[in-house]
Amino acid sequence: MSPTQEHEFLLELVRNRPSLVATLLTEMGVPVPAFDEARLESPDFTDCVPTEYRADSVVVLADGKPLSGIVLEVQRAYRDEKTWSWPVYLATLRARLKCPCTLLVFCPDTRVAAKCGRPIDMGHPGWSLRPIVLGPEQVPMITDLERAVAEPELTALSAIVHGPTEEGFKVLQTFHDAHEHLPEELKSYSDLVLSVLPEFVVAKFKEISMAMDINYEPRSKLVREWVDHGITQGITQGVTQGEAKAVLRILERRGLAVPEEARERIHTCEDPELLLAWVDRALTVTSVDELFEEADSDH
């Protein structure tokens, strides 16, 4: 997957449905005013300051007039300079809209989320900006079909974030079941999800489904695309390479430290069965040493 895809998937969902940011804030217990319109606003804040400042996305909740401005930032790595630019975004947007404004930071990595959530001391007594951070744990696991159909953008985000986890199968199952009920213009979300999910998730979906029913046949075109996509990617990129990436991705998502020596051992492993054992163990171990000890003894 390309860096652009990793950075852009939430922004693309918000472009399609700006009210998604209000839903995410509500999920986190942040009050959102009653509104009848959610629209995109220019993310360019250069009009009030000489230095160029540009947010990833800005959404305005309105009821005839602006009620709330929401700055959305996507952070895959912690960057100290954001502690200087984020307050500028909020202050500039507040001056432009003449209404309260909120900073929402999406971090797919748990460790990055913890760092981005630290309060920013503005220097003025009593003035401290605490970013509202949406990490993997804050994205709801959508397993209810009715809700999945009603909120397809949130369901796509849930599938992307939770698909690689131990409980992710239920989310993926709900995502593809909801796909059949969506209007044609929203069915492209399947392509978005597929472009972001690691290859091993697609293959694992087929494996679990076949275990449930030995005569399993994909029920929908979407599932057949997932299976074909997984096989093609596995052949093109190499099964072991994909599994090694999967192990590291799971460990990093769970916030476990991976020393360089361990990272090299995983990358250079050419034993598919051992790598599969590491994939399974990575979901539950509490350290990388435990990953190697348990998987090696099983193997």
Side-chain angles (χ1 to χ4, degrees):
M1 101 188 57
S2 71
T4 299
Q5 288 171 326
E6 288 193 345
H7 185 81
E8 288 284 335
F9 67 81
L10 178 57
L11 304 180
E12 178 65 23
L13 293 172
V14 171
R15 277 193 287 269
N16 289 347
R17 183 168 297 187
S19 62
L20 175 61
V21 295
T23 300
L24 294 173
L25 287 172
T26 301
E27 285 288 331
M28 299 174 67
V30 178
V32 173
F35 63 95
D36 59 15
E37 177 193 12
R39 66 171 186 267
L40 294 176
E41 175 79 6
S42 170
D44 192 340
F45 298 122
T46 59
D47 54 346
C48 293
V49 289
T51 305
E52 181 179 357
Y53 289 102
R54 185 178 181 85
D56 288 331
S57 184
V58 173
V59 173
V60 176
L61 307 181
D63 181 10
K65 62 180 182 179
L67 299 174
S68 176
I70 302 167
V71 175
L72 174 62
E73 285 277 279
V74 177
Q75 291 298 124
R76 302 198 64 82
Y78 176 75
R79 294 167 56 192
D80 186 64
E81 60 264 30
K82 289 294 185 178
T83 62
W84 304 105
S85 59
W86 284 342
V88 175
Y89 296 170
L90 285 184
T92 305
L93 186 62
R94 180 174 178 272
R96 181 193 301 171
L97 299 177
K98 305 294 190 296
C99 72
C101 294
T102 303
L103 172 65
L104 176 62
V105 183
F106 173 60
C107 301
D109 182 272
T110 301
R111 289 175 297 177
V112 175
K115 291 181 179 179
C116 289
R118 295 169 182 168
I120 301 171
D121 184 2
M122 300 296 293
H124 186 84
W127 187 8
S128 180
L129 171 61
R130 185 180 294 275
I132 297 171
V133 177
L134 179 72
E137 293 80 5
Q138 284 73 47
V139 176
M141 297 187 68
I142 307 298
T143 57
D144 177 74
L145 180 59
E146 184 176 347
R147 186 180 186 189
V149 174
E151 301 181 87
E153 290 80 14
L154 184 62
T155 304
L157 178 62
S158 182
I160 291 170
V161 171
H162 298 298
T165 69
E166 188 174 14
E167 303 84 6
F169 172 71
K170 292 181 180 179
V171 179
L172 293 174
Q173 181 77 43
T174 304
F175 174 73
H176 89 68
D177 285 349
H179 181 267
E180 300 176 3
H181 303 279
L182 298 181
E184 198 63 35
E185 64 270 17
L186 297 184
K187 291 187 177 181
S188 62
Y189 288 160
S190 62
D191 296 330
L192 180 64
V193 172
L194 282 173
S195 71
V196 179
L197 283 175
E199 291 85 358
F200 88 95
V201 176
V202 180
K204 197 70 173 176
F205 180 85
K206 180 185 178 185
E207 177 185 325
I208 295 172
S209 300
M210 292 180 68
M212 292 169 57
D213 183 354
I214 194 169
N215 296 314
Y216 169 80
E217 289 291 339
R219 293 185 300 157
S220 69
K221 183 173 181 289
L222 174 63
V223 180
R224 290 194 295 273
E225 288 174 354
W226 283 10
V227 172
D228 292 342
H229 178 82
I231 294 173
T232 301
Q233 290 293 334
I235 294 172
T236 303
Q237 299 184 12
V239 173
T240 56
Q241 181 184 4
E243 289 166 352
K245 288 181 179 179
V247 175
L248 292 171
R249 184 181 178 91
I250 293 171
L251 293 173
E252 290 168 356
R253 281 286 186 88
R254 296 187 61 224
L256 299 180
V258 184
E260 190 59 37
E261 182 180 348
R263 190 178 296 273
E264 181 67 17
R265 179 177 176 182
I266 294 170
H267 269 308
T268 57
C269 181
E270 297 182 356
D271 184 339
E273 291 186 10
L274 180 56
L275 282 165
L276 280 175
W278 285 346
V279 169
D280 292 336
R281 291 292 184 183
L283 295 167
T284 57
V285 296
T286 57
S287 71
V288 174
D289 289 340
E290 186 181 345
L291 170 82
F292 292 141
E293 290 170 4
E294 295 190 15
D296 288 347
S297 61
D298 290 347
H299 191 65

